[in-house]
Each structure stands twice: as C-alpha cells, then as structure tokens.
Amino acid sequence: MITKKSNNPAPSWIKLEGDFFYLNSEMAAKFFNVTPRTLIDWKKRGAPSVMRGWWDVQKLVEWLGKGSTADGNEPLSDEARKLKADADYRERKAEKEEISLAALKGEYVSKEEVDRQWSVIGNQLKSNLLLWSRTMAPELAHQDMRSVEKVLTDAIYDLLEQLSSTSQYRKTKRTKKK
C-alpha cells in the first residue's frame, strides 16, 4: 500500500511516496486529456497502474510511448502507434468530410470535370488556330502592315473571348473588311 511520507499536506488526488507521485483516475484522465473510461480501457490493454484508481504518470507516459527521445530514435510502443494511427485516421476522415461538404455546396469541381473542360478548350484552340491559315489568308492579302496587325489582334481577342466564356464555343461568322 502507498503511504504518504511527506510532512507537506497534499491534495487528496495525489499520493507522494519518496521521489514518486501517483494521481487518482480523475486527475490522471485530466493530465492525459482523456476520459476516466479511457484509462480503464488502457488498463485492460496493459497500462501500468499502482493500485485500483491510482496511476504512476511516469510509467503510463512510457507505456504510451510519449517518453520517446526528442530525436525520435526510440521506437513508440504499440499503444502509442495505435493512438497515433487512430488520430491520423480521424484527421483524414474530418478532411474528407470537409471536402464532401464543400462539394455539396458547389465550392469544388471534380478533377474529371476540370480535365474534360481543359480538353474541350484545347481542342477548340487547336482547331481554330489550324483554320486560321484558310480563313485569315484572304483577309490579309494585299493589306498594309497596320491592317494585318489589326485583323490578327481582333481575331486573337475574338478567339480568347470565345474560349473564356462559360458557354460552349460557337464559331462566329467573320465579315470581310474592305
């Protein structure tokens, strides 16, 4: 049995024995930021306890693997790895739910939709640029440099306007300038 060997009065939730101290279940749970039920579950899985309702914090920290060296060379205990994996899983699940909620709100577009739209825009750009040799040549024949520059600039802005619109591309009829 653990006895108090100090003349200093201590709160009822701590027991002092020489250089060691032990916490009752309620305070140990607060220390580790878990519920008292979690402590009981840990004990069933092999967590060290001093006696019923009392916990050696140092040994419990070692059991959890939280006492590993700062450089991370000391391996974590099985329990610590399980706790870390569980925490990582919960974080990923929360991230997934946030993305799903944002998608439901219409804040995200699927990768497939983005790929499809870029493919459509790329194909439109390719076909229009390939058609320019046929459609632009007659417009540019026998014109001075300023007129050629204006026709090309207008055609480029027209193409960019069509590609940047939210609706499907529609080829516009160009009128010949005289």
Side-chain angles (χ1 to χ4, degrees), residues 55-172:
W55 303 86
D56 183 336
V57 175
Q58 182 179 359
K59 288 183 181 176
L60 196 54
V61 166
E62 290 170 3
W63 180 80
L64 288 170
K66 293 181 179 175
S68 63
T69 58
D71 61 4
N73 288 335
E74 189 175 320
L76 295 176
S77 69
D78 288 342
E79 186 64 27
R81 287 197 327 264
K82 287 178 191 175
L83 290 172
K84 184 178 180 330
D86 184 52
D88 290 345
Y89 170 77
R90 290 174 191 267
E91 285 180 23
R92 300 301 169 265
K93 190 172 181 178
E95 288 173 4
K96 180 183 174 188
E97 291 302 319
E98 286 178 21
I99 291 171
S100 296
L101 179 61
L104 287 173
K105 289 180 176 180
E107 296 172 359
Y108 288 117
V109 178
S110 70
K111 179 187 177 299
E112 293 78 18
E113 179 64 18
V114 171
D115 288 344
R116 190 183 72 71
Q117 289 295 327
W118 272 111
S119 178
V120 167
I121 289 171
N123 287 333
Q124 291 171 354
L125 180 62
K126 178 182 172 183
S127 64
N128 275 291
L129 290 175
L130 290 173
L131 285 175
W132 271 11
S133 61
R134 292 185 189 130
T135 59
M136 299 295 285
E139 288 187 42
L140 300 176
H142 310 294
Q143 291 193 13
D144 60 61
M145 187 60 80
R146 285 185 175 220
S147 299
V148 169
E149 183 180 345
K150 179 162 180 17
V151 169
L152 288 175
T153 302
D154 289 345
I156 290 169
Y157 280 116
D158 183 46
L159 177 60
L160 291 174
E161 178 73 28
Q162 292 171 13
L163 292 175
S164 66
S165 70
T166 57
S167 62
Q168 278 289 63
Y169 168 78
R170 291 187 201 111
K171 186 174 179 182
T172 58

